[in-house]
Amino acid sequence: MSTKLYLKRKRFQLLLIVFLALHPFFRITTLATAQGVPLQLYEVKTTHTRKLGMNSPKGMTFVPGEQSFLVWGDTSSVTMTIYGDPGIPVDVADLIENPLGTAFDQRSDSLFFLTANGTELAKIEREEIGLPKSSRQTVTRFHAGAFDLQDVQGMTFDPHTGQLFILDARKSQILIISPHPTLGFDSGNAVMSGGINRIDLASFIRSAPRGIAFNPNNGNVYVGSPTEQKIYELTGEGKVISVSDISPFLLRNLSTMLFAPSSDQTDDLLKESLYLVDSGNVGTAESRTSYMPHNGNLIADQAVTEENEGRILELSLTEPLALPPGVALLPSTLVQVIDTSNTVWNPSSPDPSGIDYWPLTGRLLLADSEVDEMPRYFTGNNVFDSTLSGELISTCSTTNLSHTGFSNEPSGLGIDPGNNRIYFSDDNLNRIIEVGLGADGIYCTSDDVVTFVNVLDLYNISDAEDVAYGQNTIFIAGGINAEVYMFNLGADGKLGGDDGPMAHFDTRAWGFGDLEGIGYNVDQGTLFIVSSDGSDNYVGHITTSGTLINAYDLSFMGNIPNIRSDVAFAPGSQNPAVKNIYIVSRGMDNDYESQENDGKIWEIALAPTFTDVPFTHMFSKYIEAFHGAGITTGCLQSPKKYCPDANVTRGEMAVFIERAMGNYAPTPNPTGMFTDLPYPGLESFTPFIEEFYNDGITVGCALNPLKYCPQNYVTRGEMAVFLERAMGNFTPTPNPTGIFADVPYPGQPPSFQAFIEELYNDGITAGCAINPLRYCPQNYVTRGEMAVFIVRAFGIPVP
């Protein structure tokens, strides 16, 4: 370039800069010093970018048409799916001079990026079948010199208007550019047409800002302040709405911020999360704040010298759901804590992630998904065989270093007690692996048979954190989606044969934000689930069809992340006749503290829902199901009792059956059709009783005047009529056979016999005595018996 042409261009740029200061449409918005209200951010998922083949990510953007992220480092670019799984390399890194000066524009379906000196803005359109390819795409370039950018530390688009937001750290400003319909983002035209605004940040961000994100759900802009460890939420005019403290997330080098769809694709598809890219500090010494293992407290200024690799954090602006209203935490008791660290076990398990009970050995089998990443402790083995009291018996390996190596990330473990097959989950590769014992019948020998399926390809299951086996069915804990997935193993009972189809249900609505562990309750045919989210300090007891039965308090375990990784149901270490749950804990993650070694197994005894219905009670599982369906809350709340031997009143019967029919909130403002209602002390029963009448299930106990007699006890004969009518059977089979020796009963209507025999034919009752077969129609029904009858009649899942 000639000296004359150079001076001419500089003169033009100077005139434009002067014009910027004088033009009435080029506004600088000065913010008030008000800092806004605190805004809590909640961690949803963390992806360590070494799993993408990139230790230190420099930038990231979301490509909506691909439902993928484009991530780049110093010399390479890769894609990452919305779930965090690795994608394919993409050759755009050679074009990106400043990774922080990049963003994807949804309106034009194009990738935009600035040169390092900020004088040129370029655009690459997305291909129809893939992400931008520099070698095959035309690059459109816009002159950006008039923007006078000095230190670009972030860029984002408003997907609705197409406005471009550029964060200039040196000026502590946000440049807002409205695109021209035909000329796009040419800086000279933007200045001339008044298509530029600026927001001043210097009045409240006292250090260099980095990272900017536009939230399409509310139209606000979010700006990061790494030194302060804060994120500021601003309106489009620059008013501070809220301030978020991000120090708990232990960010070492915040680079990029952006909004993109939640990785939980099973829920609201419009739900957006805030993603933060932490470039890390590779091979450097630093002082930082870390979580102390087990108690959740913080310690400051911990000097470390290690490779702090990059991460991508997904944060939610919405508080995670807790347990549903009305679901009380039942107590549990800590039996013992087994230390699997190097202070007790050799070799040690610093991060146990999977556990199950193996009846063949009478012991526990554990898998560790992280120990192979810790050279100080890794001896080649990541599977551990332990007694119920915590004595290490033997070890094995799933890694590629072993003769049967198939996974470096055995995140979960389950066992089929019938044929002794072991199932491992791999949340990196989204695989379920089956290990069958060879001819020698011994695990961890050269004749083991390994089979695996990719559940992402087969069933679209991502983040397969854990696996459990029960009833010829594989159950999978889908971590980030907080889903329980299941598929039958088919007639051959083996993985990869005639499996399927897949079914699933959500657990996030119950307060399980990151479903980390799942275990099968072989005694009751149910499941136990746990979440690794710090605040989800409970274990859920659920049916295999997706009903929350109970939740048990685990607050004594603490509330740091990864304290709950998997759960198993096994004989107690002190009394094998009573079964407890065993939960493995990774404690401090090795990605935060590479030298940690704090693995644990927690043995916990669960309490029954009602203090007067122990698990050994003959009606226990029916009463637990009765309560789990929301039909009863018991007869006493403190202490919580059910009174299984008490007789059922007609008032209680109306409430039980109406709720079993799905009517939990009957029509308010009852008409007063029954002259003995409301009954003192039973006022809340009145709406249910009138609904009971309107449904044609009862005609009352007297007609003139019409009465219901809510305090009277219900006989077994009356109960048969009520239940059959509630099931829709108003005209049972005529001409009863007389199968019960005591039916018909003197004084009861003859029609009762047909209803009673129908109840027997429906499999709801087996009578009260067998030889001879009797029904006892005149006997009163107890609350325990009523739970059995209603659970059977309405097909309520039984634990």
Side-chain angles (χ1 to χ4, degrees), residues 333-640:
T333 304
L334 179 62
V335 178
Q336 67 164 335
V337 177
I338 299 171
D339 192 340
T340 67
S341 74
N342 58 336
T343 61
V344 179
W345 280 13
N346 184 22
S348 61
S349 175
D351 286 318
S353 56
I355 187 171
D356 205 358
Y357 174 68
W358 198 349
L360 175 69
T361 64
R363 299 193 293 266
L364 300 170
L365 199 65
L366 280 72
D368 191 309
S369 63
E370 307 293 336
V371 66
D372 64 301
E373 301 170 5
M374 307 167 73
R376 175 179 292 188
Y377 311 118
F378 186 48
T379 63
N381 296 313
N382 61 351
V383 179
F384 304 84
D385 176 17
S386 167
T387 66
L388 295 173
S389 59
E391 179 186 359
L392 181 62
I393 301 299
S394 63
T395 60
C396 189
S397 177
T398 69
T399 71
N400 294 329
L401 299 177
S402 69
H403 58 270
T404 57
F406 50 81
S407 173
N408 289 333
E409 186 78 9
S411 56
L413 185 152
I415 297 175
D416 176 354
N419 56 30
N420 296 303
R421 294 191 180 100
I422 306 169
Y423 295 92
F424 295 91
S425 59
D426 185 319
D427 64 335
N428 275 356
L429 300 177
N430 283 305
R431 286 180 175 179
I432 300 299
I433 303 107
E434 177 187 279
V435 179
L437 307 185
D440 61 7
I442 301 174
Y443 171 56
C444 202
T445 55
S446 59
D447 64 347
D448 290 351
V449 180
V450 178
T451 306
F452 69 85
V453 296
N454 187 307
V455 291
L456 179 62
D457 293 342
L458 286 178
Y459 302 115
N460 198 32
I461 300 174
S462 65
D463 196 25
E465 288 286 356
D466 192 22
V467 60
Y469 173 92
Q471 298 175 329
N472 200 42
T473 299
I474 293 294
F475 299 92
I476 299 173
I480 195 61
N481 286 336
E483 295 281 309
V484 171
Y485 301 92
M486 66 198 78
F487 59 86
N488 192 273
L489 290 176
D492 62 359
K494 296 181 179 180
L495 188 70
D498 53 347
D499 303 343
M502 185 269 288
H504 64 98
F505 55 83
D506 181 62
T507 67
R508 193 180 301 279
W510 300 334
F512 295 85
D514 188 353
L515 190 60
E516 190 84 3
I518 188 168
Y520 188 73
N521 181 338
V522 68
D523 288 352
Q524 300 179 344
T526 52
L527 299 166
F528 291 107
I529 57 173
V530 289
S531 166
S532 63
D533 279 1
S535 60
D536 300 346
N537 50 6
Y538 35 75
V539 60
H541 186 201
I542 66 174
T543 67
T544 57
S545 59
T547 298
L548 178 63
I549 301 171
N550 281 320
Y552 296 90
D553 185 14
L554 300 179
S555 57
F556 53 80
M557 294 183 69
N559 59 358
I560 64 172
N562 303 314
I563 197 70
R564 297 165 299 276
S565 295
D566 194 6
V567 56
F569 184 64
S573 61
Q574 299 176 6
N575 180 8
V578 177
K579 291 188 177 179
N580 296 328
I581 61 169
Y582 293 76
I583 296 178
V584 284
S585 167
R586 290 168 52 197
M588 170 69 73
D589 192 288
N590 69 301
D591 287 307
Y592 297 101
E593 178 57 71
S594 65
Q595 306 308 319
E596 62 83 14
N597 199 313
D598 58 351
K600 295 283 188 296
I601 305 172
W602 302 69
E603 182 186 357
I604 299 165
L606 302 180
T609 303
F610 301 104
T611 58
D612 57 347
V613 186
F615 289 130
T616 54
H617 192 284
M618 63 183 300
F619 296 147
S620 171
K621 63 180 182 179
Y622 292 99
I623 294 171
E624 293 285 347
F626 205 46
H627 169 264
I631 298 174
T632 183
T633 58
C635 64
L636 186 66
Q637 300 306 307
S638 184
K640 198 171 182 65

Side-chain angles (χ1 to χ4, degrees), residues 29-40:
T29 303
T30 302
L31 292 176
T33 57
Q35 296 298 293
V37 298
L39 176 65
Q40 180 72 41

Side-chain angles (χ1 to χ4, degrees), residues 89 112 125 128-129 163 244 315 373 413 503 611 645 660 684 714:
F112 282 77
E125 294 183 1
E128 292 183 0
I129 58 172
Q163 284 185 315
S244 301
L315 306 178
E373 301 170 5
L413 185 152
T611 58
D645 299 324
S684 63
V714 178

Side-chain angles (χ1 to χ4, degrees), residues 5-24:
L5 181 58
Y6 173 80
L7 292 173
K8 184 178 180 179
R9 176 170 294 183
K10 293 297 290 183
R11 189 180 301 116
F12 175 73
Q13 292 177 350
L14 180 60
L15 289 172
L16 282 176
I17 293 171
V18 173
F19 182 82
L20 298 179
L22 299 177
H23 198 284

Side-chain angles (χ1 to χ4, degrees), residues 769-784:
I770 296 176
N771 191 15
L773 185 62
R774 290 185 295 161
Y775 181 72
C776 306
Q778 80 286 8
N779 287 6
Y780 293 133
V781 182
T782 66
R783 288 171 56 89

